[in-house]
Structure formats: C-alpha cells, structure tokens
Amino acid sequence: MIRLTKREKYLLILTSILRMLNAAILILSTTSVAKVMECVEIGASDQLLKNILFVILVLVLEKVTDLGMTAANLCYVSAGDLNIKRNLLKNILWRPLRLFRKKDDAYYINLLTTDVGMYRDSCLESYPWICYFVVYFAFSIIMLGRLSPLLAASTLILSVIPFLADKLIAGVVEKYKNRYSKASEASMNALKEMVEGYEAIRTGNGRTAFLERSYNKLANTRYAAAKMLFANALSREALYTSSSILRLVTLIIGAVLVLKGQMRAAMLYAAMNYAAAVSNSFSNFAYYKMAIRSTKQVSQRLKEECEQPCEEVTE
C-alpha cells in the first residue's frame, strides 16, 4: 500500500467515522419507520405523534451526516490524489536522466493520469466504504436477530454468496484494468507522436498510414475501457443479485412468522430492510475489497515509481 501522510490519515479516519455514523443512522431510520407502522397496526394513537417526530429527527440527522461524510471524503480523496501526483512529479524531476529515458513520455503521462485515477477511485475511495459496510452489517444483523433468530441465521448463510462471486470475478476485473492501462499508454504515445511530428507527417506521404495506426491505438483503448467497465458492471450485478434473493427468502420466512403470530406485520417491513442491509453489506464489502485487489499492480507500479533513485534536492 502507498504510504499516506498524517493529513490523509486524519481525513481518512474522519471520513470513516462519519460514514459509520451514517450507516448506524440508516438502520435507526428503518427501525423508527417500522415503529410508526406498528403504532398504526395496533391502534396506539397515543404513541404515533412521538414516533413520527422521531422519524423526522432521524431523517435530519441522516442528511447532516451524509453531507458531512461527502465533504470529508472529497477532502480526503483530493489530498491523496494530489499527494501521489506530487511525489511522482518530484521523483521524475529529480530522477537521473539515464533512468528517466528508460521510459517514454507516454508512460509518464499515463502514470499521472490513468494509473493515478484508478488508484484514487479503486483504492482511496474504497477504504471508508469498507468501514461503512462493516458497521451497516453489524447493526443490521443485531436488529434482525432481535426480531427473529431464524431470520438472522438464514440471512447470514445466504450472505456468503457475494464472497464466492468475489473469488470468481476479481481476477477478470484485474486483468481488464491492466489491459486498459497498457492500451491507454499506447494511445498517449500515438497522440504525442502526432503533436511532436506534426510537420514531418504533413510533408511526407504517410499521413493516411499514420491516421490508421493512431486510430487503431485509440480504438484499442476504447475497447479496453469498455471491457473494463463491463467487467465492473458484471461484478456489481453478481454481487447485488444476492440481495434480491435474500429479500425474497426473508419475505417468505417473515410472512410465515406473521401468520403464526410470532411477529407483527409492521416488523416484516423492518426485517426485509435489515436483511437487505446485511446482504448489501456483504456484497459491497466484497466489491470494494475486489476493487482494491484488482488495482494491486497499478498501486505497486505507482509505489515503485515514487521510490526510484533520485538526486538530492538542493533547491
């Protein structure tokens, strides 16, 4: 993992805390709405107003924490993005010329754009979300267990599906991310060649050949990006399908419990939302874990480039 600065660590902790707080409030929101529905079901009009006011309070807290975690996350991701770019630029500028010339210009441009972008989106963004879904899972399974141990047990068993999907898909996503990085570097090189050799290309007879060669490289980049995006979409769909299955199973078990008088109908709403939260937590935890794993080679390349031997800074 690329080393974070103290400021980045503080922002990561702040973002993670706000995300975890938001996750807890979301579960509380489900509980408060279910309480209002229960008051209506049993005719407890004396408790209805109090529960409605509590729902409003929870919704306000949810929006406040949502805005807070968004602001903190933007500061954290921006700091991480700028720090890795600064370290790369510093190492490149003070790198011995013989080492610098081992790579072409397109490699460095791709490193500072495509590779840093994948590191930012797949690594930096993922850590706070992992904290969020750990708390989301913990609160959901506790609340579900309070309603019905049977529902909690069945939910836990079915929620292992996302981890199995992660094992099957992670390697495919990583492969397409690496292909996209390499294709992007090749297209950067073609564009650089056109700009730098513009006059020579125009005066020669190879404009058509150069156009076709450049177009093919750009097309390969576009196709590689499409394959990477499709692989990401496939992984999300495979992970989120378990949520739909789990909600259906919860509905069936919950309906049986309501018919047997072991649970109120209003609590069935809460049970389905808790079960979906547990499944989504597993799915998203697996997804963000896979995102970090699939960018391992890119992160390692950035780390190695930041640690290349360089001259002593005297300015």
Side-chain angles (χ1 to χ4, degrees), residues 114-130:
T114 303
D115 287 356
V116 169
M118 285 196 287
Y119 166 72
R120 178 191 62 236
D121 297 338
S122 296
C123 288
L124 292 179
E125 288 271 14
S126 295
Y127 298 123
W129 279 118
I130 287 174

Side-chain angles (χ1 to χ4, degrees), residues 150-151 245-259 263 268 272:
L150 176 61
L151 281 175
I245 296 172
L246 192 53
R247 287 175 71 92
L248 179 60
V249 172
T250 302
L251 176 63
I252 294 170
I253 296 175
V256 172
L257 293 175
V258 171
L259 288 174
M263 188 171 69
L268 181 57
M272 289 181 64

Side-chain angles (χ1 to χ4, degrees), residues 27 30 37 136 140 144 151 154-159 161-162 239-256 263 267-281 283:
I27 296 301
T30 296
M37 294 172 67
Y136 201 39
S140 299
L144 195 58
L151 281 175
S154 61
T155 299
L156 280 174
I157 292 170
L158 290 174
S159 292
I161 296 174
L239 294 172
Y240 294 156
T241 296
S242 62
S243 177
S244 299
I245 296 172
L246 192 53
R247 287 175 71 92
L248 179 60
V249 172
T250 302
L251 176 63
I252 294 170
I253 296 175
V256 172
M263 188 171 69
M267 290 298 108
L268 181 57
Y269 161 82
M272 289 181 64
N273 279 278
Y274 295 147
V278 170
S279 178
N280 287 338
S281 297
S283 299

Side-chain angles (χ1 to χ4, degrees), residues 5-289:
T5 63
K6 281 188 177 181
R7 182 169 181 270
E8 289 172 67
K9 289 178 181 177
Y10 291 145
L11 288 171
L12 172 58
I13 292 170
L14 176 61
T15 303
S16 299
I17 289 173
L18 288 172
R19 285 209 189 280
M20 290 188 287
L21 182 60
N22 185 256
I25 291 173
L26 276 176
I27 296 301
L28 186 59
S29 175
T30 296
T31 305
S32 61
V33 171
K35 286 291 184 183
V36 171
M37 294 172 67
E38 187 178 38
C39 287
V40 174
E41 183 183 358
I42 64 177
S45 56
D46 56 324
Q47 299 291 320
L48 186 59
L49 179 61
K50 181 180 72 174
N51 283 298
I52 290 174
L53 291 174
F54 187 68
V55 169
I56 295 171
L57 175 62
V58 171
L59 288 174
V60 171
L61 287 174
E62 180 188 334
K63 296 306 176 185
V64 170
T65 55
D66 188 53
L67 289 173
M69 73 181 189
T70 300
N73 186 68
L74 287 171
C75 292
Y76 154 65
V77 172
S78 297
D81 179 90
L82 291 172
N83 179 55
I84 187 67
K85 286 179 178 176
R86 178 181 175 82
N87 288 338
L88 285 168
L89 287 170
K90 181 180 177 181
N91 191 284
I92 291 169
L93 288 171
W94 271 270
R95 186 175 300 183
L97 198 56
R98 60 181 177 79
L99 292 178
F100 175 79
R101 286 178 173 168
K102 286 184 176 181
K103 308 282 176 57
D104 57 34
D105 296 350
Y107 173 83
Y108 294 112
I109 295 171
N110 186 67
L111 193 73
L112 288 160
T113 53
T114 303
D115 287 356
V116 169
M118 285 196 287
Y119 166 72
R120 178 191 62 236
D121 297 338
S122 296
C123 288
L124 292 179
E125 288 271 14
S126 295
Y127 298 123
W129 279 118
I130 287 174
C131 296
Y132 173 93
F133 286 110
V134 166
V135 172
Y136 201 39
F137 163 77
F139 276 82
S140 299
I141 201 67
I142 289 170
M143 297 305 294
L144 195 58
R146 290 179 62 185
L147 287 178
S148 168
L150 176 61
L151 281 175
S154 61
T155 299
L156 280 174
I157 292 170
L158 290 174
S159 292
V160 300
I161 296 174
F163 283 99
L164 298 177
D166 173 52
K167 294 291 184 183
L168 295 172
I169 299 172
V172 176
V173 176
E174 181 178 5
K175 179 179 70 175
Y176 284 118
K177 281 188 176 181
N178 289 326
R179 286 183 181 179
Y180 173 63
S181 178
K182 291 177 181 177
S184 179
E185 182 183 339
S187 64
M188 288 281 186
N189 203 21
L191 292 173
K192 181 183 76 70
E193 185 181 348
M194 183 188 72
V195 173
E196 292 181 352
Y198 178 75
E199 292 182 2
I201 294 169
R202 279 187 61 87
T203 55
N205 296 320
R207 277 188 286 186
T208 301
F210 183 82
L211 171 63
E212 291 303 317
R213 189 168 71 254
S214 299
Y215 173 78
N216 287 335
K217 289 181 179 180
L218 291 171
N220 288 337
T221 302
R222 187 62 260 166
Y223 296 148
K227 289 176 182 178
M228 181 186 70
L229 292 172
F230 183 78
N232 285 332
L234 179 64
S235 68
R236 283 194 298 270
E237 288 302 319
L239 294 172
Y240 294 156
T241 296
S242 62
S243 177
S244 299
I245 296 172
L246 192 53
R247 287 175 71 92
L248 179 60
V249 172
T250 302
L251 176 63
I252 294 170
I253 296 175
V256 172
L257 293 175
V258 171
L259 288 174
K260 290 184 175 181
Q262 298 178 16
M263 188 171 69
R264 288 199 175 99
M267 290 298 108
L268 181 57
Y269 161 82
M272 289 181 64
N273 279 278
Y274 295 147
V278 170
S279 178
N280 287 338
S281 297
F282 269 101
S283 299
N284 283 284
F285 182 86
Y287 174 76
Y288 286 110
K289 177 170 164 284

